[in-house]
Amino acid sequence: MKEEIFKIAESLITSPNVFVVEVIIGSHNKSTRVQVILDGDNGVGIDDCSTLSRQLGEQIEEKNLFEQAYTLEVGSPGLDKPLKLKRQYNKNIGKTVKVVEKDGVTITGELLEVAEDTILVKESKKVKSKITTTEHTISFNDIKSTTVVISFN
């Protein structure tokens, strides 16, 4: 069901800069809850979300995908949500990210580069009164989660 809704949502998006990150299906108050998470190379706006919500709702009804009541929510990922797609990594080059590897190692630094199978993160640490920088090449296969660090500076 997730895959079908994902494909329908992708087919309805007209902007080449907007993309579906994920579809989550769960229950909420005795009804099915369908969440479609969108992102965009330059962010995603409320108009993108509302247009897709209306069109996707019509398609779900037309195809009779749910027999029982359901709630459809279309939105953007929150600032605290982990990056899921390579395309999200690309749009965050130059920003500070926190990468947690599957072995528990955490690296926080500037996302410098996104390659086919890896990312490059420059970590800066203050040791005594000196700042040392280390560049880490991290395989996507070794990443448990990556979040963008929000700075209010």
Side-chain angles (χ1 to χ4, degrees), residues 76-103:
S76 61
L79 293 174
D80 59 338
K81 295 293 183 197
L83 304 180
K84 299 244 181 222
L85 304 175
K86 185 176 171 188
R87 194 165 174 181
Q88 289 178 293
Y89 282 86
N90 284 323
K91 82 173 214 169
N92 285 293
I93 290 173
K95 294 184 181 169
T96 302
V97 294
K98 178 181 175 182
V99 181
V100 179
E101 295 182 283
K102 290 178 181 172
D103 63 5

Side-chain angles (χ1 to χ4, degrees), residues 114-131:
V114 180
E116 187 63 34
D117 299 320
T118 61
I119 60 172
L120 181 63
V121 177
K122 181 174 76 174
E123 181 180 42
S124 297
K125 287 185 178 180
K126 190 173 185 177
V127 179
K128 296 188 179 172
S129 60
K130 287 187 171 184
I131 294 178

